[in-house]
Amino acid sequence: MVHAVNDELFALVEHAKEEWLSALDTLDDPIAVYDGTGRLLRGNRALAHLNGWPLTEMKGHLCADVGLCGERADDCAVVRAVRLRETILSDREGPDGRLYAVITRPVDGTADRRDVKVVQVARDVTEAHAAAERLRALTSELASTNTRLRSALEQLRTAQPRRLEAEKLASLGDLAAGLAHELNNPLTSIIGYAELVQEEFARKDHIDASGQWRATVREDIQHIVDESRRAAKVVRNLLTFGQRRHPSEPTLISVSWLVEHAVAAYEADVLANRVTFELDIEPELPLILGTAAQLERAFGNLIANAADSARGGGDRRLTVGAKRDPSADAVVIWVMDRGAGIDASHLSRVFDPFFTTRPFGQGTGLGLSMSYGIVRTHGGQIWLESVPDAGTTCWVKLPARVPPDEGGLARLSLCLSVEDARVADFLRSVFLGWGHRVVQAHDGQDSSELLSSDLLVADAGGLAALRICAGGDADRPPLLWVATLGCSEAGCGREPAGVLHPPYDLTAIRAALNVVAAECA
């Protein structure tokens, strides 16, 4: 009875052993079992394939023959696993030249070293190691590229103020040269005609037989008057050009009233060119915030330019129109002529001071430049569209006071902290034009008023300055990030509720403000 039970148990053990060995042979990783002296007791089929041995002839080989333990036989992975009684991890190049991650683990026996068994498993990591090396190389290259980009950005930030200063000086030089040119011409004429009159008086030849001044004298004097008025106009334009930086207190203005007054003020110039007016003003337009005298002058310049252009075309109609732009909470005003148009190569320069496409002596080149400055001061945009021989349209878009119940945004309290003064002034005018309350950050200001605002509008420099002033509380209001050249929203150190990208179009500003308004509600 006992023998039968033993036979059955032996059979079960043998069967389990065969299943274990069969399973071992199905594994792709080479596996070896050594005794305490480093002799191979059993290896799977993958190990035999690795070394090119028949499966039945592996037993008895030393671990050094297997080739996964290292070069020194007296301190190989198997010897150390037995001596230290701990798992040894290592990377080894196998007999096939591929890289293996090798785990060598002792199976505790008695104190007698020969009773210890060691199991060694090798996993092929050649591709993984190559991928890791490629990743390390790419990471290193990325770090190097990032360092170069940071260096280039720093150089750009350092050079940008110098470039802006150089541009200002160049513009000032152009302004001075243009002013000298525009004043020199009439002054030269005045001097010349005055000398002629002086000579005629010296010869006492200025009176004709009837006792009246000679026609030539009257003509010379009239030339002096005309040229004096021309010089006065240049000076007057310069004064207006400079006064736009110091505007009077803005008020709410009716667009239809503004357009009609600008047309009436410059009607004489239009009629002198034998040009007819067409008005196309949408009814019930929202009000705009601004200085009426400045805006009237800006649109008057556009009308005078258009009238002069229309004079050179076959169709002498001039259209002045205004309509609402709901996507920007704005009013769009346009002046369209059907004259000769402007060459595409000149469109980028039409707003430069003293640039003109008119013949010599027929324009100062300050009108459009002055109109551009006034429009920007009011938070607006101005641009031209022109087709040669078909005409030119000048478009002006200004922020308008659209009530919330008519689709406008709810009025917000905004803290504006933008380092670039020109961008800050423009955004301030835009937000005020829409009816929002704007608190502009500056040195020494109490941060409590700034940070109690519904929304923080800031660029990198402005946010940094505000954080110095207010500490961590600068992260409290939702942030509308003003992206600038070389500094995206990734540089703001917090998740912005919205982002404004150059060139800060009214429609884009309105869309961004609409997104963040939900957080302020």
Side-chain angles (χ1 to χ4, degrees):
M1 179 70 178
V2 174
H3 290 294
V5 171
N6 286 340
D7 290 343
E8 185 176 352
L9 288 174
F10 182 78
L12 289 173
V13 171
E14 281 294 316
H15 180 68
K17 177 183 177 182
E18 290 298 325
E19 286 188 342
W20 179 80
L21 292 174
S22 176
L24 201 64
D25 283 337
T26 63
L27 297 178
D28 294 331
D29 296 334
I31 300 175
V33 180
Y34 304 97
D35 63 16
T37 65
R39 288 194 175 274
L40 188 62
L41 299 176
R42 180 72 174 88
N44 66 350
R45 194 176 299 278
L47 184 69
H49 177 73
L50 176 64
N51 287 277
W53 297 335
L55 187 62
T56 56
E57 297 179 9
M58 286 195 300
K59 188 174 181 179
H61 282 286
L62 291 174
C63 60
D65 299 331
V66 176
L68 295 175
C69 279
E71 296 180 358
R72 289 182 54 190
D74 60 339
D75 194 35
C76 69
V78 173
V79 171
R80 280 186 288 129
V82 173
R83 184 178 71 248
L84 300 174
R85 292 294 199 275
E86 65 182 29
T87 301
I88 305 298
L89 304 177
S90 58
D91 290 335
R92 302 295 181 196
E93 184 178 333
D96 57 355
R98 297 180 69 80
L99 184 66
Y100 289 87
V102 182
I103 302 174
T104 307
R105 180 168 185 161
V107 180
D108 290 339
T110 64
D112 187 345
R113 169 175 168 176
R114 288 173 297 179
D115 292 339
V116 178
K117 303 295 186 292
V118 179
V119 177
Q120 192 172 65
V121 180
R123 171 153 293 180
D124 190 339
V125 294
T126 305
E127 281 77 14
H129 183 269
E133 286 296 321
R134 289 195 298 271
L135 181 59
R136 276 193 289 270
L138 287 173
T139 302
S140 176
E141 183 180 350
L142 181 61
S144 177
T145 302
N146 188 49
T147 300
R148 292 196 301 271
L149 286 175
R150 286 180 179 274
S151 176
L153 179 58
E154 190 60 34
Q155 291 176 10
L156 180 61
R157 285 176 175 169
T158 303
Q160 190 174 24
R162 293 198 298 267
R163 181 181 63 81
L164 291 175
E165 192 64 27
E167 288 180 355
K168 289 179 182 177
L169 290 174
S171 297
L172 184 60
D174 291 341
L175 185 66
L179 176 60
H181 175 76
E182 289 297 328
L183 287 178
N184 183 64
N185 291 331
L187 290 177
T188 300
S189 297
I190 290 171
I191 292 171
Y193 287 116
E195 288 176 346
L196 289 175
V197 173
Q198 189 179 40
E199 290 175 2
E200 290 175 322
F201 271 81
R203 295 194 308 266
K204 298 182 179 181
D205 192 28
H206 58 289
I207 304 295
D208 60 17
S210 64
Q212 302 294 322
W213 283 9
R214 293 185 181 277
T216 55
V217 175
R218 291 197 299 271
E219 289 173 0
D220 291 342
I221 293 175
Q222 185 59 48
H223 282 305
I224 292 172
V225 172
D226 292 342
E227 293 300 316
S228 298
R229 288 174 176 169
R230 179 181 166 192
K233 183 177 180 181
V234 173
V235 174
R236 188 168 58 251
N237 283 342
L238 278 172
L239 289 173
T240 307
F241 186 77
Q243 287 171 355
R244 74 167 191 255
R245 300 180 181 273
H246 308 284
S248 58
E249 193 67 25
T251 58
L252 290 175
I253 305 168
S254 163
V255 175
S256 59
W257 177 91
L258 176 65
V259 172
E260 288 168 0
H261 271 68
V263 168
Y266 284 81
E267 189 172 9
D269 288 350
V270 174
L271 294 177
N273 288 309
R274 290 182 293 174
V275 174
T276 59
F277 266 121
E278 289 181 352
L279 292 181
D280 183 13
I281 302 175
E282 189 177 293
E284 298 182 1
L285 289 172
L287 302 177
I288 59 175
L289 182 70
T291 304
Q294 286 195 353
L295 288 172
E296 183 179 317
R297 185 61 184 271
F299 289 114
N301 284 335
L302 301 182
I303 291 169
N305 277 357
D308 184 76
S309 178
R311 182 181 60 182
D315 189 341
R316 297 197 172 195
R317 286 177 301 148
L318 190 66
T319 302
V320 181
K323 62 181 179 179
R324 178 177 169 180
D325 180 359
S327 68
D329 275 359
V331 170
V332 178
I333 303 170
W334 72 92
V335 180
M336 180 177 67
D337 68 68
R338 298 163 179 82
I342 301 173
D343 189 88
S345 62
H346 292 153
L347 282 177
S348 62
R349 299 188 58 200
V350 291
F351 296 114
D352 292 348
F354 292 109
F355 177 81
T356 180
T357 58
R358 296 180 186 175
F360 178 77
Q362 293 188 18
T364 64
L366 282 174
L368 284 179
S369 178
M370 184 178 64
S371 296
Y372 176 87
I374 293 173
V375 170
R376 294 294 291 183
T377 300
H378 286 77
Q381 297 168 244
I382 180 170
W383 69 97
L384 292 183
E385 294 176 354
S386 187
V387 178
D389 300 323
T392 302
T393 302
C394 184
W395 300 90
V396 174
K397 184 184 291 187
L398 293 168
R401 288 288 177 92
V402 181
D405 58 358
E406 294 181 14
L409 283 174
R411 304 300 182 242
L412 302 173
S413 176
L414 307 179
C415 169
L416 183 63
S417 185
V418 176
E419 188 175 32
D420 188 318
R422 289 177 298 180
V423 176
D425 290 345
F426 173 71
L427 292 177
R428 179 178 180 275
S429 297
V430 172
F431 296 141
L432 289 176
W434 282 332
H436 302 298
R437 177 177 176 270
V438 180
V439 179
Q440 202 155 0
H442 55 77
D443 294 339
Q445 189 171 1
D446 182 7
S447 63
S448 60
E449 183 182 10
L450 302 177
L451 301 176
S452 63
S453 302
D454 298 319
L455 179 66
L456 172 61
V457 184
D459 63 0
L463 187 60
L466 194 59
R467 278 176 173 156
I468 292 173
C469 173
D473 286 342
D475 294 332
R476 190 170 60 217
L479 171 65
L480 179 58
W481 179 251
V482 182
T484 55
L485 177 64
C487 191
S488 66
E489 59 269 30
C492 67
R494 59 183 284 198
E495 184 67 27
V499 181
L500 296 181
H501 294 283
Y504 313 119
D505 171 80
L506 282 177
T507 302
I509 298 173
R510 170 65 171 78
L513 207 59
N514 188 48
V515 171
V516 300
E519 293 196 20
C520 303

